[in-house]
Amino acid sequence: MIEGKKIKAKKRKHIIGILVEDHPGVLAKLSGMFSSRGFNIDTIIVGKTAIPGISHIIISLMGDDKTIEQIEKQVNKLIDTIKIIDLSPKHSVVREHCLVKVASNPKTRADLINISKLHKTSVIDISNSSMIIEVVGKPEKINNFLELMRKYGIKEISRTGINAMQRTRDNNHK
Amino acid sequence: MNGSEAIVKALLEEKVEHIFGFPGGAVMPLYDEFLKHQGELRHILVRHEQGAAHAADAYARVTGKAGICIATSGPGATNLVTGIMNAYMDSSPVIAFAGQVPTSLIGNDAFQESDMMGITLPITKHNFQIRDANKISSTIKKAFTIALNGRPGPVYIDLPKDVQTNEVSAEEKDTHIAGFKPVTAGHPVQIKKAAEMILNAKQPVIIAGGGILWANACPELQQLVEAFSIPITATFMGKSCFPEEHPLYLGVLGMHGRKAANYAVANSDLLIAIGCRFSDRITGNLQTFAKKSKIIHIDIDSAEIGKNVGVDLPIVGDAKNVLQQLNQMLKKMAVKKKNIKWAEKMKRFIQECDCSIDVKGNPIDPRKLVFELGKVLKEQDIVTTGVGQQQMFAAHFLKRSKPHTFISSGGAGTMGFGLPASIGAKVAAPDVQVFDFDGDGSFAMTQQELATAKEENIKVIAVIMNNAYLGMVRQWAELFFDRRYSAVHLKRTPDFAKVAEAYRLKGIRVERDSEIGAALREAYKSDEAVVLDVIVKEEANILPMFTAGANTTDMFGGCIKIKGKLF
């Protein structure tokens, strides 16, 4: 709800979880609404939930508070939307999965494997000219790792987009 | 029971009595079924699917029930699109059905296939494609629930041809929609805050939108206005929700609204906006709109609150419920407070802006035509309009005081709305006279529906304000493009009286101001549809107005009788 007319216009990253009915066309309705209202999505992932017939869509995007509020209301208006979950990093676990193909040769291979170990990532495929490394973690961790890989020569990147889940707070221990 | 039988059964269960439509290959099984139900389900054959959608739209606005239209697949369905979009913009509960190629051919670019699910996606409240005959009954039930509850809106249903003929073996019973929970009552804390704000306000103004009409909240609104002498203005969509002869009624606000209304809003210290969405035609420049006012925004659609204008107090809920709650709360607070000084000032202003003007002379002044129309109209008669100058002349000068007696295309501004809408309104309210107040440009877009009026014996009276121009575009060209007229002159073709005669209906051409009254009265008495082709001044402007995006107080032209500063 808006209180007062002054709303902070500062843009920041938001993560919104949306529970939707799982039937054909739902994603089209959601993405169609985003494009027709001029909202930009940074990342989007769709998957099944523990409940049959209900899918989970997780969207990350940049926006000021007013825009985000309007987006949430418009998403809520879609008949297929069952619930919106605030997945701000404050209360949630946020992770992303990334595969990166880096150029490698016998000289750099050991280096790459060491860096990979230090960052708790896994080397999952090695060829004569490149290797594929799997990185899982917060998006910032992936960004940092990719930055390190840059000087070796990144050939391909495939990122899933942000996945997130609300933490459960146990009130008894407060 | 096959699919078509299930569709008709579901419609009858929803108490549907009228359907506007146009058949074709992909809906023939359903049309075949209609034949067996002619007594209980009247199908009105239009001459273009757009007409079916507009008629259903107007039918919904008059009755408050869902309006039903139907078309075949492909071009039939795409012809509905303008009408569906129109209903979407004005929150009208139209349920549009269209045939589709058999499920086995969907996606194959089969004959008369079009992706209507994709096309109607951004212009409906929701859409369904029924791929299983067992889901017909539950889907139709859901469609009615969605269209009519919360903020009303159109629902589209895609009916593949094989589903219409398949046997229904095990009907789905579950009609629960998990994600659809419209808020109906206002939050008590917000209601209390609103009551306090109203009691503390010195210069309050109410903006009443179309939501008042959809919620049937007119009596509650009047109660609030009269209890505290709060001046009230209506949005274009709200017109007819409040008696226009009332001393506290400021008129319609906005770009082509009444000066009194725009000035009152600009100088208010509290705006109580109910069931409106602060469209750009109302706010003008958002930076300066109602700068001095606190704003209470009451709407059933939370997404409308804060969308265009920042608000101080949001209340999500049905206008009728919220107004009842608010009236009760104010009564409980038992403060006898009337804003006499402000109200008296507004009353004086309203009188000075009064627009009931009888402009004599020839060629006919459009205001004279509206004036004469106002004289023959009875309170319960319905007026639909086309889109353009004549629509704004009607909004401004024609007084409508009974709810749902003014039906027009607001958000979409769809030319050609008037005639099919009048047909839908007449079917919905057969005991009153229905006028289509139209323009020569607008009327020509859907004039083929005269055949519908003739063949289905639906008596409507089309009054065409014929200025030989696309008048509104011409007016803008005059005002904002140095009178460079680009493709706006219609040169009085066709002769609309003769067009009426070609449809074997009565057509009357009116050229003198002295003839208007008699012609209207003759049309009023007629048993069949009548077309009045009224030849008016070519270059008359509808004023006052403000420019798109300008301050609402920067209105020019218009009908203020007494000069001088009021604020």
Side-chain angles (χ1 to χ4, degrees):
Chain A
M1 288 291 152
I2 305 172
E3 289 294 340
K5 291 186 193 178
K6 287 178 207 97
I7 298 152
K8 272 181 252 162
K10 224 175 101 187
K11 280 192 177 185
R12 56 190 180 85
K13 190 157 198 92
H14 292 259
I15 307 169
I16 307 168
I18 309 161
L19 292 180
V20 295
E21 301 223 30
D22 176 19
H23 49 69
V26 175
L27 188 60
K29 277 181 183 145
L30 190 83
S31 57
M33 186 279 286
F34 270 81
S35 72
S36 70
R37 296 209 175 257
F39 304 139
N40 273 323
I41 297 175
D42 285 347
T43 72
I44 180 167
I45 64 169
V46 186
K48 293 207 180 301
T49 62
I51 310 156
I54 294 180
S55 297
H56 202 174
I57 297 175
I58 295 170
I59 288 175
S60 75
L61 70 179
M62 293 292 289
D64 58 47
D65 289 356
K66 188 182 174 212
T67 310
I68 298 296
E69 180 188 295
Q70 182 58 210
I71 288 173
E72 289 190 350
K73 284 174 168 177
Q74 293 294 350
V75 170
N76 227 338
K77 235 169 106 166
L78 297 173
I79 307 293
D80 290 317
T81 300
I82 295 167
K83 196 179 170 190
I84 294 185
I85 303 161
D86 175 23
L87 293 172
S88 61
K90 233 183 183 177
H91 322 284
S92 317
V93 180
V94 177
R95 290 292 181 273
E96 193 177 359
H97 180 264
C98 171
L99 294 174
V100 55
K101 190 182 280 176
V102 194
S104 70
N105 54 46
K107 273 188 202 164
T108 58
R109 193 171 291 149
D111 241 15
L112 281 166
I113 291 172
N114 273 336
I115 296 173
S116 173
K117 264 187 193 158
L118 274 170
H119 284 83
K120 294 187 175 137
T121 64
S122 340
V123 176
I124 49 178
D125 185 69
I126 298 183
S127 74
N128 283 329
S129 59
S130 68
M131 57 172 70
I132 296 175
I133 304 173
E134 178 188 41
V135 199
V136 179
K138 290 183 182 166
E140 302 79 52
K141 173 185 164 174
I142 296 174
N143 291 343
N144 292 341
F145 186 77
L146 292 176
E147 197 49 47
L148 284 174
M149 290 298 106
R150 190 140 295 160
K151 72 167 187 186
Y152 297 95
I154 294 175
K155 293 185 154 187
E156 247 179 83
I157 295 174
S158 173
R159 297 176 75 153
T160 57
I162 289 170
N163 190 8
M165 187 176 277
Q166 250 182 8
R167 292 175 197 274
T168 308
R169 283 273 170 256
D170 203 340
N171 288 328
N172 299 337
H173 295 284
K174 254 187 178 174
Chain B
M1 182 169 65
N2 69 19
S4 298
E5 289 168 318
I7 294 167
V8 171
K9 185 170 152 257
L11 291 175
L12 291 173
E13 270 168 24
E14 296 296 332
K15 309 256 183 312
V16 172
E17 295 169 81
H18 301 98
I19 295 177
F20 302 90
F22 195 104
V27 281
M28 283 185 69
L30 182 55
Y31 268 79
D32 192 42
E33 186 61 25
F34 285 161
L35 274 181
K36 299 177 202 156
H37 297 272
Q38 282 175 343
E40 44 193 347
L41 204 56
R42 180 178 173 201
H43 177 274
I44 291 131
L45 174 64
V46 295
R47 293 301 191 270
H48 184 287
E49 292 85 349
Q50 183 188 348
H54 288 328
D57 184 344
Y59 183 91
R61 296 189 205 201
V62 172
T63 58
K65 300 198 300 187
I68 314 294
C69 59
I70 181 163
T72 190
S73 65
T78 55
N79 277 349
L80 288 176
V81 167
T82 302
I84 298 174
M85 183 274 281
N86 189 78
Y88 184 67
M89 291 298 276
D90 289 348
S91 310
S92 182
V94 167
I95 299 183
F97 291 88
Q100 182 56 282
V101 300
T103 45
S104 57
L105 293 179
I106 289 176
N108 289 2
D109 301 321
F111 176 66
Q112 292 194 329
E113 176 180 8
S114 86
D115 172 18
M116 287 306 292
M117 295 301 285
I119 290 174
T120 58
L121 192 145
I123 53 162
T124 51
K125 194 170 170 189
H126 198 57
N127 59 14
F128 294 99
Q129 184 174 62
I130 307 182
R131 286 164 164 262
D132 175 357
N134 288 325
K135 291 189 174 167
I136 287 172
S137 140
S138 58
T139 305
I140 291 177
K141 180 106 201 142
K142 283 182 196 171
F144 275 81
T145 306
I146 291 168
L148 290 164
N149 291 285
R151 178 180 179 175
V155 175
Y156 171 79
I157 301 180
D158 213 35
L159 296 171
K161 193 173 182 182
D162 54 334
V163 175
Q164 298 167 43
T165 49
N166 286 350
E167 270 306 298
V168 177
S169 50
E171 234 175 29
E172 185 185 64
K173 294 283 176 218
D174 184 17
T175 55
H176 176 68
I177 311 158
F180 188 60
K181 317 173 247 313
V183 179
T184 51
H187 194 287
V189 174
Q190 302 293 86
I191 300 282
K192 182 139 196 294
K193 278 190 200 160
E196 281 160 5
M197 284 168 83
I198 290 170
L199 291 177
N200 290 328
K202 288 196 175 65
Q203 305 191 161
V205 171
I206 292 174
I207 300 180
I212 297 277
L213 289 166
W214 287 116
N216 285 317
C218 308
E220 288 79 6
L221 176 68
Q222 195 163 351
Q223 198 186 330
L224 177 66
V225 167
E226 284 171 355
F228 294 91
S229 295
I230 306 174
I232 171 172
T233 168
T235 67
F236 179 71
M237 289 311 297
K239 189 173 168 77
S240 86
C241 78
F242 193 83
E244 295 208 40
E245 305 282 359
H246 197 286
L248 284 167
Y249 181 72
L250 292 154
V252 166
L253 84 162
M255 178 182 279
H256 286 286
R258 205 66 70 81
K259 269 185 182 169
N262 285 333
Y263 280 64
V265 167
N267 288 282
S268 64
D269 66 350
L270 176 68
L271 268 188
I272 308 150
I274 314 160
C276 75
R277 59 186 174 91
F278 290 109
S279 98
D280 56 288
R281 285 297 190 260
I282 282 181
T283 61
N285 181 355
L286 278 171
Q287 305 305 318
T288 57
F289 176 75
K291 220 169 40 181
K292 302 173 194 163
S293 336
K294 285 201 172 342
I295 299 179
I296 301 174
H297 192 179
I298 302 167
D299 203 282
I300 190 138
D301 180 358
S302 70
E304 286 305 342
I305 296 177
K307 187 179 84 177
N308 297 337
V309 169
V311 297
D312 298 275
L313 185 75
I315 303 181
V316 180
D318 174 84
K320 192 178 187 78
N321 292 339
V322 172
L323 281 172
Q324 275 172 356
Q325 289 172 290
L326 194 56
N327 285 337
Q328 267 171 22
M329 180 64 75
L330 285 162
K331 213 171 173 186
K332 231 192 314 184
M333 291 171 133
V335 185
K336 286 251 182 310
K337 183 173 180 290
K338 292 211 175 197
N339 304 288
I340 302 293
K341 210 173 140 197
W342 170 246
E344 289 309 315
K345 197 170 175 178
M346 284 302 101
K347 280 182 192 168
R348 189 161 64 94
F349 200 18
I350 290 164
Q351 278 167 11
E352 281 158 10
C353 281
D354 184 31
C355 298
S356 312
I357 314 167
D358 184 12
V359 190
K360 295 195 177 73
N362 288 296
I364 297 166
D365 188 291
R367 289 171 291 181
K368 172 71 176 172
L369 175 58
V370 180
F371 184 80
E372 293 294 334
L373 177 60
K375 284 204 292 191
V376 299
L377 279 177
K378 296 213 173 75
E379 201 189 25
Q380 67 276 14
D381 290 341
I382 294 170
V383 178
T384 68
T385 79
V387 164
Q389 275 189 321
Q390 89 286 10
Q391 179 188 29
M392 290 303 130
F393 272 110
H396 205 100
F397 295 97
L398 193 67
K399 293 197 164 133
R400 300 276 68 212
S401 290
K402 242 185 141 221
H404 313 292
T405 55
F406 185 77
I407 309 255
S408 189
S409 167
T414 308
M415 286 175 73
F417 178 76
L419 181 62
S422 70
I423 289 171
K426 181 69 180 179
V427 171
D431 298 332
V432 305
Q433 296 288 338
V434 180
F435 286 80
D436 163 29
F437 189 63
D438 226 320
D440 46 336
S442 199
F443 183 81
M445 283 198 173
T446 51
Q447 67 183 25
Q448 73 282 355
E449 299 309 337
L450 287 174
T452 310
K454 171 74 187 177
E455 292 306 323
E456 300 278 345
N457 196 19
I458 298 164
K459 192 230 161 158
V460 295
I461 304 162
V463 179
I464 303 171
M465 187 188 110
N466 187 343
N467 56 12
Y469 272 106
L470 297 174
M472 191 58 100
V473 187
R474 186 211 56 74
Q475 175 171 338
W476 280 50
E478 178 189 329
L479 296 172
F480 310 124
F481 294 85
D482 292 329
R483 212 167 170 271
R484 291 189 301 280
Y485 290 171
S486 176
V488 289
H489 204 186
L490 302 176
K491 302 176 184 171
R492 301 210 199 276
T493 299
D495 177 331
F496 288 106
K498 288 203 175 121
V499 167
E501 281 161 21
Y503 285 101
R504 289 183 274 119
L505 290 167
K506 196 173 185 62
I508 308 172
R509 187 180 168 92
V510 179
E511 294 183 44
R512 314 283 305 168
D513 62 345
S514 54
E515 299 161 2
I516 304 171
L520 282 167
R521 284 189 294 276
E522 186 186 341
Y524 203 94
K525 279 186 222 137
S526 164
D527 293 327
E528 265 198 322
V530 184
V531 175
L532 258 65
D533 188 8
V534 186
I535 309 301
V536 302
K537 212 182 272 177
E538 290 201 353
E539 293 184 77
N541 288 338
I542 168 72
L543 293 169
M545 72 174 291
F546 61 76
T547 321
N551 302 332
T552 57
T553 47
D554 292 341
M555 294 195 92
F556 57 90
C559 54
I560 190 151
K561 287 178 195 160
I562 298 172
K563 294 226 165 70
K565 246 179 122 67
L566 275 134
F567 292 99

